[in-house]
Amino acid sequence: DNSAQTTALANGESEWSFVFIPNYQATFISKDPQNHKIWAPGVLGIHGLYINTTIKPFDDAKLRQAMNMVINRADIFNQAEAGYFHPQIDSVTGLPNGAGDAFIAPEYKDKKLTPDVAGAKALLAKSGYQLNGTTLTDPSGKPVKITLTDPAPWSDYQTTLEIIKTNLAQIGIAATVDKANQDKWDQNVQKGDFGATMRWTNGGATP
């Protein structure tokens, strides 16, 4: 719970935590500027959207590629993560600047991710999808829909999902955001009962 943990940090009940703090200068640092510090390094633990590829049509790599093409990572970094909590990922490799530099092959060094709605629409059309007004239909004619889910108290991830929902609407994918109970969310993810969820990976010495 981001809000509860922020309160615990600010009043001294917690000494350290990995938690997103909105407006951290006012809500945390200002309470004890000498001792309250924020450290948000660009490590190799990546945060990303995990898609359940056992659910059609999301088993189609071309659809997932088109989705990737419209995600506005700058908005996620600046709005959902307040411009500090996780590094903005703009490399096509998905690796963060700094920590990931040594692992990026020369041919990908300068290739950056930027939203490309027109390119995504062209890819989908070539792959058998049709955009009928504001609704994308898959090759079988069914509307493409997805539920994005994360626990309600994870405020940065909730904002991220809302941004992704808006991004996907640009190519006709109808997304809904489920603000799940954390225990229920964990159970559903473990058994594969979900559409897509924001999650993290553990950091390490290499990707």
Side-chain angles (χ1 to χ4, degrees), residues 62-90:
K62 295 298 184 184
L63 174 60
R64 299 196 305 273
Q65 183 180 351
M67 294 167 68
N68 181 59
M69 291 169 69
V70 300
I71 302 299
N72 193 318
R73 291 162 177 82
D75 282 353
I76 290 171
F77 176 65
N78 290 307
Q79 297 174 29
E81 303 300 344
Y84 85 95
F85 192 51
H86 308 311
Q88 180 179 337
I89 303 297
D90 59 9

Side-chain angles (χ1 to χ4, degrees), residues 1 4 6-7 12 15 19 24 28-29 35 57 62 64 72 81 97 122-123 128 134 150 178 201:
D1 186 322
T6 297
T7 300
E15 296 180 355
V19 66
Y24 67 87
F28 177 61
I29 301 271
N35 298 299
K62 295 298 184 184
R64 299 196 305 273
N72 193 318
E81 303 300 344
N97 294 330
L123 174 62
T134 59
D150 269 299
D178 172 37
T201 61

Side-chain angles (χ1 to χ4, degrees), residues 43 46-47 73-74 77 86-97 113:
V43 297
I46 306 301
H47 295 249
R73 291 162 177 82
F77 176 65
H86 308 311
Q88 180 179 337
I89 303 297
D90 59 9
S91 168
V92 295
T93 65
L95 292 174
N97 294 330
L113 285 164

Side-chain angles (χ1 to χ4, degrees), residues 12-34:
E13 291 178 18
S14 288
E15 296 180 355
W16 180 91
S17 181
F18 175 71
V19 66
F20 170 70
I21 304 175
N23 195 17
Y24 67 87
Q25 288 285 358
T27 58
F28 177 61
I29 301 271
S30 66
K31 307 299 181 186
D32 185 354
Q34 170 122 13

